[in-house]
Amino acid sequence: MTELTSLTIAEAREKLASKEITSVELTKAYVDAIDAFNGTFNAYVTTTPEKAMEMAKASDERRVAGKVGALEGIPLGIKDLFATEGVHTQACSHILDGFKPKYESTVTQNLWDDGAVMLGKLNMDEFAMGSSNETSFYGPVINPWKAEGSNQQLVPGGSSGGSAAAVAAHLCAGATATDTGGSIRQPAAFTGTVGIKPTYGRCSRWGTVAFASSLDQAGPIARDVRDAAIMLKSMASVDKKDTTSVDLPIPDYEAALGQSVKGMKIGIPKEYRVDNMPEEIEALWSQGIAFLKDAGAEIVDISLPHTKYALPAYYIVAPAEASSNLARYDGVRFGLRVDGKDIVDMYEKTRAAGFGTEVKRRIMIGTYVLSAGYYDAYYLQAQKVRTLIKRDFETVFHAGVDAILTPATPSSAFGIADENLAADPVAMYLNDIFTVTVNMAGLPGIAVPAGLDKKGLPLGLQLIGKPFEEETLFRTAYVIEQAAGKFTPAKWW
Amino acid sequence: MSVDLATVKRVARLARIAVTEDDANRMVGELNGIINFVEQLGEVDVTGVEPMTSVTPMDMRKRVDAVTDGDKADDIVANAPVTDRNFFLVPKVVE
């Protein structure tokens, strides 16, 4: 029999509907796969097989009773950043040791309300700060992809590295993820999966551990464009508990697939042609342009002049917000406590022991740029630059551009414990050079696999859209997917 | 602008993170690397530009000022490292 874990969400949905399979069978297949292979990938930091089987059984019963949700019986993995009631929720940080929330995040509640099944919590960079999943307290995740003829272990990207690896290795049908500077799109590109960061406000942030509140958005990582469309529709909602969630109708994203892109204007920003860009990335980009041109889209050269300032502005705004958000981890209300001689000593020792190196570095940067005398020079300047970055996009959209095509990342997946990256934090930050502008402007962005490099590793393209026009992105990404095909790693595990 | 050892220690104190001498010395180099990287923002002309306060223009949704939640003391202290009868316990803060 074909492996049940190789089915996409859409395929599983069909087989469940025709009663060819049950959710209990499908879920059991994933539970067994996780049992057998999670040790190889370290994608899950905690698994919930009993809860999964219980949820699957309940789903099958609902189906018999004629109550079928949009994700009825589909087994999903959940990034450790989402609060899941009574289940390990630690943002993969030591400082949240033992934290089991008494509440459920809005995004995951939406998924369960639509009938989905939870398999467990997925590995990630600590507090979503990282581009390689190596800052996790639970250790790195192994990318299911390997370069041809090489046995080197590669990173799956980050921060949603566990989500991307689990989807690519078929350890879940789809996964939740979050994106503050590229944390959905970069790992999707590194693993040949599809990831979308929706417009800021499309998904509720309630119950998602906060990193940088003005940038954080939840979204799915899935096997293909259709599955991403199915998942986003369920994840998105307006929510009384998040005043930045937006009260706009949620379209049927799946209905956008297959619609023509004829006559659509696709912008190609010249500023994304960066120095030392590998030839293969350049070639992939040209290939993407050709795919869309062949499908009838009009290609236009555009300029987004403040692009180069997005990453430096991000490394002021994000750490500033993080230093404030992470002030709550003080050893009093949850997680780790290290005793000290007085209360301040207790705070300082707890935070020294509980936070990893990268998280401390960003809290320090954030505290510095917000400190007396530096606020105007750094934070205020960065927020003004952010206005200019957003204005760049508004100008091109106003001129009639429907979507923007760029590479998703400046390279394919790199090796675990890369020495150059370990020695230079800024070199690691450059991974987000193409994705971070989208968060700064609050826009939607999708990463879709478009080819393999010479080493046989997947590369992704990014499409950037107007606010709340995710449908345009799905429609356009589907055209690229149809032309490029889908990419799955050769199974070595 | 660049940060020195004393600044790193002052910032660590503000951030309530205990740092050893070794940590602090290492952080001087790392933080300067990042600060140098973000310095390039200084070259952008921002005359007359408003700082961004919200990516999407929106009016804050408001609700009636009424109690909508509560009676969850057990839930609130459930994850705390040290508690006593629904209180969080901390080291003595007043003599």
Side-chain angles (χ1 to χ4, degrees), chain A residues 148-484:
Chain A
E148 270 164 28
S150 162
N151 214 17
Q152 192 198 13
Q153 292 185 330
L154 303 176
V155 303
S159 69
S160 309
S163 304
V167 170
H170 296 181
L171 298 186
C172 59
T176 64
T178 60
D179 191 316
T180 304
S183 284
I184 289 176
R185 292 158 287 157
Q186 185 251 20
F190 276 14
T191 55
T193 56
V194 174
I196 181 164
K197 182 205 91 76
T199 314
Y200 185 82
R202 185 70 287 184
C203 291
S204 167
R205 290 179 297 110
W206 195 82
T208 312
V209 177
F211 161 13
S213 305
S214 77
L215 301 160
D216 298 342
Q217 258 301 286
I221 291 182
R223 305 240 181 111
D224 60 17
V225 175
R226 182 176 299 278
D227 282 7
I230 295 170
M231 278 191 74
L232 182 61
K233 181 162 169 46
S234 286
M235 291 169 74
S237 66
V238 62
D239 183 7
K240 277 189 188 141
K241 291 183 276 193
D242 174 5
T243 54
T244 64
S245 70
V246 169
D247 192 5
L248 284 175
I250 300 155
D252 179 4
Y253 297 121
E254 217 184 334
L257 310 187
Q259 286 177 12
S260 169
V261 296
K262 205 166 181 169
M264 253 177 66
K265 262 193 188 170
I266 305 292
I268 309 298
K270 65 170 192 234
E271 290 81 6
Y272 282 62
R273 194 158 278 120
V274 294
D275 294 344
N276 305 322
M277 186 151 88
E279 248 172 63
E280 291 170 299
I281 302 285
E282 183 90 45
L284 180 89
W285 199 5
S286 305
Q287 179 69 75
I289 292 170
F291 288 153
L292 295 178
K293 211 186 252 176
D294 289 349
E298 185 192 339
I299 306 297
V300 289
D301 288 325
I302 59 167
S303 174
L304 300 165
H306 295 90
T307 298
K308 72 175 270 210
Y309 300 110
L311 200 61
Y314 175 85
Y315 274 96
I316 290 172
V317 174
E321 293 183 14
S323 73
S324 165
N325 273 324
L326 272 59
R328 75 191 67 182
Y329 304 104
D330 58 4
V332 175
R333 286 158 298 162
F334 25 65
L336 185 76
R337 172 185 291 198
V338 179
D339 289 326
K341 63 181 191 307
D342 54 31
I343 194 165
V344 173
D345 195 43
M346 186 270 283
Y347 293 153
E348 292 191 343
K349 284 187 170 143
T350 298
R351 290 163 65 81
F355 292 133
T357 308
E358 180 62 27
V359 173
K360 281 182 198 165
R361 192 179 286 146
R362 297 204 198 184
I363 292 174
M364 293 281 289
I365 288 286
T367 306
Y368 177 72
V369 300
L370 291 177
S371 65
Y374 296 108
Y375 180 88
D376 285 3
Y378 290 115
Y379 190 72
L380 201 65
Q381 178 78 5
Q383 289 290 54
K384 288 179 179 172
V385 171
R386 201 173 166 188
T387 298
L388 294 172
I389 292 165
K390 184 164 183 256
R391 200 178 285 171
D392 285 353
F393 282 107
E394 284 166 352
T395 305
V396 297
F397 288 138
H398 189 72
V401 166
D402 296 295
I404 297 165
L405 181 74
T406 77
T409 56
S411 74
S412 59
F414 46 86
I416 284 182
D418 185 292
E419 281 174 18
N420 296 329
L421 292 174
D424 180 5
V426 174
M428 184 66 94
Y429 298 168
L430 290 172
N431 261 288
D432 291 335
I433 190 161
F434 298 137
T435 48
V436 77
T437 49
V438 172
N439 302 76
M440 294 302 271
L443 302 172
I446 192 168
V448 59
L452 301 177
D453 69 4
K454 283 191 212 93
K455 295 177 283 185
L457 296 174
L459 294 171
L461 288 170
Q462 172 180 239
L463 286 156
I464 304 168
K466 298 180 199 172
F468 303 104
E469 292 199 8
E470 284 82 2
E471 283 171 291
T472 306
L473 298 188
F474 282 121
R475 171 172 152 194
T476 315
Y478 190 68
V479 167
I480 292 176
E481 182 179 76
Q482 294 290 101

